[in-house]
Every structure is written in structure tokens, then in C-alpha cells.
mmCIF file of all heavy atoms in Angstrom:
data_model
loop_
_atom_site.group_PDB
_atom_site.id
_atom_site.type_symbol
_atom_site.label_atom_id
_atom_site.label_comp_id
_atom_site.label_asym_id
_atom_site.label_seq_id
_atom_site.Cartn_x
_atom_site.Cartn_y
_atom_site.Cartn_z
ATOM 1 N N ASN A 1 97.153 78.412 75.699
ATOM 2 C CA ASN A 1 97.256 76.954 75.735
ATOM 3 C C ASN A 1 98.332 76.500 76.720
ATOM 4 O O ASN A 1 99.213 75.710 76.386
ATOM 5 C CB ASN A 1 97.540 76.418 74.338
ATOM 6 C CG ASN A 1 97.387 74.913 74.248
ATOM 7 O OD1 ASN A 1 96.671 74.295 75.035
ATOM 8 N ND2 ASN A 1 98.066 74.299 73.280
ATOM 9 N N LEU A 2 98.241 77.004 77.922
ATOM 10 C CA LEU A 2 99.262 76.726 78.918
ATOM 11 C C LEU A 2 99.276 75.261 79.322
ATOM 12 O O LEU A 2 98.240 74.598 79.384
ATOM 13 C CB LEU A 2 99.041 77.605 80.146
ATOM 14 C CG LEU A 2 99.494 79.057 79.968
ATOM 15 C CD1 LEU A 2 98.851 79.950 81.002
ATOM 16 C CD2 LEU A 2 101.015 79.146 80.059
ATOM 17 N N LYS A 3 100.481 74.782 79.591
ATOM 18 C CA LYS A 3 100.714 73.419 80.005
ATOM 19 C C LYS A 3 101.353 73.402 81.386
ATOM 20 O O LYS A 3 101.988 74.376 81.780
ATOM 21 C CB LYS A 3 101.645 72.714 79.010
ATOM 22 C CG LYS A 3 101.151 72.726 77.575
ATOM 23 C CD LYS A 3 102.181 72.102 76.642
ATOM 24 C CE LYS A 3 101.703 72.112 75.212
ATOM 25 N NZ LYS A 3 102.722 71.519 74.303
ATOM 26 N N PRO A 4 101.198 72.304 82.131
ATOM 27 C CA PRO A 4 101.840 72.235 83.455
ATOM 28 C C PRO A 4 103.348 72.493 83.395
ATOM 29 O O PRO A 4 103.903 73.077 84.342
ATOM 30 C CB PRO A 4 101.537 70.806 83.913
ATOM 31 C CG PRO A 4 100.241 70.484 83.249
ATOM 32 C CD PRO A 4 100.322 71.145 81.895
ATOM 33 N N GLU A 5 103.995 72.118 82.317
ATOM 34 C CA GLU A 5 105.430 72.331 82.174
ATOM 35 C C GLU A 5 105.799 73.795 82.013
ATOM 36 O O GLU A 5 106.978 74.142 82.074
ATOM 37 C CB GLU A 5 105.969 71.533 80.986
ATOM 38 C CG GLU A 5 105.370 71.942 79.643
ATOM 39 C CD GLU A 5 105.423 70.825 78.614
ATOM 40 O OE1 GLU A 5 104.822 69.760 78.883
ATOM 41 O OE2 GLU A 5 106.067 71.005 77.568
ATOM 42 N N ASP A 6 104.806 74.660 81.818
ATOM 43 C CA ASP A 6 105.058 76.092 81.757
ATOM 44 C C ASP A 6 105.161 76.720 83.136
ATOM 45 O O ASP A 6 105.489 77.908 83.247
ATOM 46 C CB ASP A 6 103.953 76.804 80.971
ATOM 47 C CG ASP A 6 103.899 76.385 79.517
ATOM 48 O OD1 ASP A 6 104.976 76.259 78.895
ATOM 49 O OD2 ASP A 6 102.784 76.194 78.997
ATOM 50 N N THR A 7 104.860 75.961 84.167
ATOM 51 C CA THR A 7 104.922 76.477 85.527
ATOM 52 C C THR A 7 106.341 76.921 85.858
ATOM 53 O O THR A 7 107.299 76.150 85.745
ATOM 54 C CB THR A 7 104.464 75.417 86.534
ATOM 55 O OG1 THR A 7 103.091 75.107 86.312
ATOM 56 C CG2 THR A 7 104.628 75.923 87.969
ATOM 57 N N ALA A 8 106.472 78.172 86.257
ATOM 58 C CA ALA A 8 107.786 78.749 86.540
ATOM 59 C C ALA A 8 107.608 80.174 87.027
ATOM 60 O O ALA A 8 106.515 80.744 86.949
ATOM 61 C CB ALA A 8 108.669 78.740 85.284
ATOM 62 N N VAL A 9 108.689 80.740 87.517
ATOM 63 C CA VAL A 9 108.750 82.173 87.731
ATOM 64 C C VAL A 9 109.218 82.808 86.432
ATOM 65 O O VAL A 9 110.258 82.429 85.890
ATOM 66 C CB VAL A 9 109.698 82.545 88.887
ATOM 67 C CG1 VAL A 9 109.776 84.071 89.039
ATOM 68 C CG2 VAL A 9 109.221 81.920 90.188
ATOM 69 N N TYR A 10 108.459 83.762 85.936
ATOM 70 C CA TYR A 10 108.775 84.425 84.686
ATOM 71 C C TYR A 10 109.417 85.770 84.977
ATOM 72 O O TYR A 10 108.881 86.583 85.738
ATOM 73 C CB TYR A 10 107.508 84.601 83.848
ATOM 74 C CG TYR A 10 107.074 83.331 83.179
ATOM 75 C CD1 TYR A 10 106.556 82.279 83.932
ATOM 76 C CD2 TYR A 10 107.200 83.158 81.800
ATOM 77 C CE1 TYR A 10 106.183 81.090 83.323
ATOM 78 C CE2 TYR A 10 106.822 81.983 81.192
ATOM 79 C CZ TYR A 10 106.324 80.949 81.952
ATOM 80 O OH TYR A 10 105.940 79.773 81.346
ATOM 81 N N TYR A 11 110.580 85.996 84.367
ATOM 82 C CA TYR A 11 111.367 87.195 84.596
ATOM 83 C C TYR A 11 111.443 88.039 83.330
ATOM 84 O O TYR A 11 111.664 87.511 82.235
ATOM 85 C CB TYR A 11 112.791 86.848 85.027
ATOM 86 C CG TYR A 11 112.890 86.139 86.359
ATOM 87 C CD1 TYR A 11 112.889 84.752 86.433
ATOM 88 C CD2 TYR A 11 113.002 86.861 87.542
ATOM 89 C CE1 TYR A 11 112.984 84.101 87.646
ATOM 90 C CE2 TYR A 11 113.094 86.218 88.755
ATOM 91 C CZ TYR A 11 113.092 84.831 88.807
ATOM 92 O OH TYR A 11 113.195 84.190 90.010
ATOM 93 N N CYS A 12 111.299 89.314 83.498
ATOM 94 C CA CYS A 12 111.459 90.266 82.421
ATOM 95 C C CYS A 12 112.906 90.726 82.358
ATOM 96 O O CYS A 12 113.559 90.907 83.394
ATOM 97 C CB CYS A 12 110.529 91.457 82.646
ATOM 98 S SG CYS A 12 110.660 92.773 81.422
ATOM 99 N N ASN A 13 113.413 90.909 81.148
ATOM 100 C CA ASN A 13 114.774 91.368 80.933
ATOM 101 C C ASN A 13 114.783 92.499 79.910
ATOM 102 O O ASN A 13 113.992 92.494 78.961
ATOM 103 C CB ASN A 13 115.646 90.215 80.444
ATOM 104 C CG ASN A 13 117.033 90.667 79.999
ATOM 105 O OD1 ASN A 13 117.277 90.860 78.813
ATOM 106 N ND2 ASN A 13 117.923 90.834 80.964
ATOM 107 N N ALA A 14 115.685 93.447 80.102
ATOM 108 C CA ALA A 14 115.825 94.537 79.149
ATOM 109 C C ALA A 14 117.265 94.986 79.083
ATOM 110 O O ALA A 14 117.956 95.054 80.106
ATOM 111 C CB ALA A 14 114.931 95.721 79.536
ATOM 112 N N ASP A 15 117.729 95.267 77.867
ATOM 113 C CA ASP A 15 119.043 95.859 77.642
ATOM 114 C C ASP A 15 118.861 97.360 77.559
ATOM 115 O O ASP A 15 118.245 97.861 76.618
ATOM 116 C CB ASP A 15 119.676 95.325 76.365
ATOM 117 C CG ASP A 15 120.008 93.846 76.442
ATOM 118 O OD1 ASP A 15 120.285 93.364 77.553
ATOM 119 O OD2 ASP A 15 119.992 93.179 75.388
ATOM 120 N N VAL A 16 119.421 98.070 78.534
ATOM 121 C CA VAL A 16 119.117 99.477 78.716
ATOM 122 C C VAL A 16 120.393 100.313 78.717
ATOM 123 O O VAL A 16 121.387 99.937 79.334
ATOM 124 C CB VAL A 16 118.356 99.716 80.038
ATOM 125 C CG1 VAL A 16 118.016 101.196 80.195
ATOM 126 C CG2 VAL A 16 117.097 98.871 80.085
ATOM 127 N N ARG A 17 120.344 101.435 78.015
ATOM 128 C CA ARG A 17 121.348 102.482 78.159
ATOM 129 C C ARG A 17 120.764 103.578 79.021
ATOM 130 O O ARG A 17 119.683 104.097 78.730
ATOM 131 C CB ARG A 17 121.756 103.049 76.809
ATOM 132 C CG ARG A 17 122.454 102.064 75.890
ATOM 133 C CD ARG A 17 122.868 102.716 74.585
ATOM 134 N NE ARG A 17 124.010 103.605 74.757
ATOM 135 C CZ ARG A 17 124.575 104.294 73.771
ATOM 136 N NH1 ARG A 17 124.092 104.197 72.545
ATOM 137 N NH2 ARG A 17 125.621 105.077 74.016
ATOM 138 N N THR A 18 121.469 103.936 80.079
ATOM 139 C CA THR A 18 121.005 104.987 80.970
ATOM 140 C C THR A 18 121.467 106.369 80.510
ATOM 141 O O THR A 18 120.949 107.379 80.993
ATOM 142 C CB THR A 18 121.461 104.746 82.414
ATOM 143 O OG1 THR A 18 122.894 104.607 82.443
ATOM 144 C CG2 THR A 18 120.838 103.464 82.949
ATOM 145 N N SER A 19 122.423 106.415 79.611
ATOM 146 C CA SER A 19 122.850 107.651 78.977
ATOM 147 C C SER A 19 123.568 107.312 77.682
ATOM 148 O O SER A 19 123.941 106.164 77.446
ATOM 149 C CB SER A 19 123.754 108.489 79.893
ATOM 150 O OG SER A 19 125.079 107.973 79.904
ATOM 151 N N VAL A 20 123.785 108.316 76.849
ATOM 152 C CA VAL A 20 124.452 108.102 75.573
ATOM 153 C C VAL A 20 125.910 107.718 75.761
ATOM 154 O O VAL A 20 126.529 107.150 74.854
ATOM 155 C CB VAL A 20 124.320 109.359 74.685
ATOM 156 C CG1 VAL A 20 125.170 110.497 75.247
ATOM 157 C CG2 VAL A 20 124.703 109.062 73.249
ATOM 158 N N ALA A 21 126.480 107.990 76.919
ATOM 159 C CA ALA A 21 127.897 107.781 77.168
ATOM 160 C C ALA A 21 128.240 106.394 77.697
ATOM 161 O O ALA A 21 129.419 106.091 77.906
ATOM 162 C CB ALA A 21 128.419 108.839 78.147
ATOM 163 N N VAL A 22 127.249 105.545 77.929
ATOM 164 C CA VAL A 22 127.510 104.241 78.508
ATOM 165 C C VAL A 22 127.012 103.133 77.597
ATOM 166 O O VAL A 22 126.155 103.338 76.748
ATOM 167 C CB VAL A 22 126.865 104.100 79.907
ATOM 168 C CG1 VAL A 22 127.424 105.151 80.855
ATOM 169 C CG2 VAL A 22 125.348 104.215 79.812
ATOM 170 N N LEU A 23 127.569 101.940 77.814
ATOM 171 C CA LEU A 23 127.124 100.760 77.091
ATOM 172 C C LEU A 23 125.807 100.252 77.659
ATOM 173 O O LEU A 23 125.405 100.604 78.764
ATOM 174 C CB LEU A 23 128.184 99.661 77.178
ATOM 175 C CG LEU A 23 129.540 99.951 76.547
ATOM 176 C CD1 LEU A 23 130.509 98.818 76.848
ATOM 177 C CD2 LEU A 23 129.399 100.137 75.038
ATOM 178 N N ARG A 24 125.149 99.412 76.888
ATOM 179 C CA ARG A 24 123.934 98.777 77.368
ATOM 180 C C ARG A 24 124.247 97.848 78.537
ATOM 181 O O ARG A 24 125.312 97.250 78.612
ATOM 182 C CB ARG A 24 123.247 97.988 76.262
ATOM 183 C CG ARG A 24 122.704 98.838 75.125
ATOM 184 C CD ARG A 24 121.823 98.002 74.216
ATOM 185 N NE ARG A 24 122.560 96.920 73.585
ATOM 186 C CZ ARG A 24 123.191 97.025 72.431
ATOM 187 N NH1 ARG A 24 123.172 98.175 71.766
ATOM 188 N NH2 ARG A 24 123.842 95.980 71.940
ATOM 189 N N GLU A 25 123.286 97.736 79.424
ATOM 190 C CA GLU A 25 123.403 96.866 80.583
ATOM 191 C C GLU A 25 122.092 96.110 80.781
ATOM 192 O O GLU A 25 121.015 96.663 80.573
ATOM 193 C CB GLU A 25 123.742 97.680 81.836
ATOM 194 C CG GLU A 25 123.971 96.850 83.087
ATOM 195 C CD GLU A 25 124.373 97.693 84.277
ATOM 196 O OE1 GLU A 25 124.717 98.868 84.075
ATOM 197 O OE2 GLU A 25 124.348 97.168 85.408
ATOM 198 N N ASP A 26 122.206 94.852 81.172
ATOM 199 C CA ASP A 26 121.024 94.031 81.416
ATOM 200 C C ASP A 26 120.381 94.375 82.746
ATOM 201 O O ASP A 26 121.053 94.509 83.768
ATOM 202 C CB ASP A 26 121.387 92.547 81.416
ATOM 203 C CG ASP A 26 121.658 92.002 80.033
ATOM 204 O OD1 ASP A 26 121.211 92.612 79.045
ATOM 205 O OD2 ASP A 26 122.320 90.951 79.949
ATOM 206 N N TYR A 27 119.065 94.492 82.723
ATOM 207 C CA TYR A 27 118.284 94.680 83.932
ATOM 208 C C TYR A 27 117.219 93.600 83.999
ATOM 209 O O TYR A 27 116.705 93.145 82.973
ATOM 210 C CB TYR A 27 117.632 96.070 83.971
ATOM 211 C CG TYR A 27 118.624 97.189 84.180
ATOM 212 C CD1 TYR A 27 119.292 97.759 83.105
ATOM 213 C CD2 TYR A 27 118.906 97.658 85.456
ATOM 214 C CE1 TYR A 27 120.212 98.771 83.289
ATOM 215 C CE2 TYR A 27 119.819 98.673 85.647
ATOM 216 C CZ TYR A 27 120.470 99.226 84.564
ATOM 217 O OH TYR A 27 121.388 100.234 84.758
ATOM 218 N N TRP A 28 116.890 93.216 85.220
ATOM 219 C CA TRP A 28 115.942 92.132 85.457
ATOM 220 C C TRP A 28 114.847 92.564 86.408
ATOM 221 O O TRP A 28 115.084 93.312 87.354
ATOM 222 C CB TRP A 28 116.648 90.906 86.052
ATOM 223 C CG TRP A 28 117.615 90.261 85.121
ATOM 224 C CD1 TRP A 28 118.919 90.572 84.950
ATOM 225 C CD2 TRP A 28 117.335 89.180 84.223
ATOM 226 N NE1 TRP A 28 119.489 89.758 84.005
ATOM 227 C CE2 TRP A 28 118.548 88.901 83.546
ATOM 228 C CE3 TRP A 28 116.198 88.432 83.939
ATOM 229 C CZ2 TRP A 28 118.637 87.886 82.586
ATOM 230 C CZ3 TRP A 28 116.282 87.436 82.981
ATOM 231 C CH2 TRP A 28 117.497 87.165 82.321
#
């Protein structure tokens, strides 16, 4: 049920740990 106001660039985001020794980091 998309509306004209939904028009945008949609970005994916994920909080990722690349190893057990590091904190999570945002990726886009």
C-alpha cells in the first residue's frame, strides 16, 4: 500500500561484530 510520501532512498543498516574481541559497529 505504498504512498507517494514513501518515496525515498532506502538504506539497510546492521550492527555487526567482526570478531569476538571487538564491539558492535554500524554498517550501511
Side-chain angles (χ1 to χ4, degrees):
N1 191 24
L2 283 161
K3 304 176 180 179
E5 62 205 60
D6 296 318
T7 296
V9 177
Y10 284 70
Y11 296 92
C12 177
N13 171 262
D15 294 331
V16 181
R17 295 182 74 179
T18 56
S19 78
V20 70
V22 300
L23 297 174
R24 294 191 298 270
E25 183 177 347
D26 286 339
Y27 289 86
W28 294 87

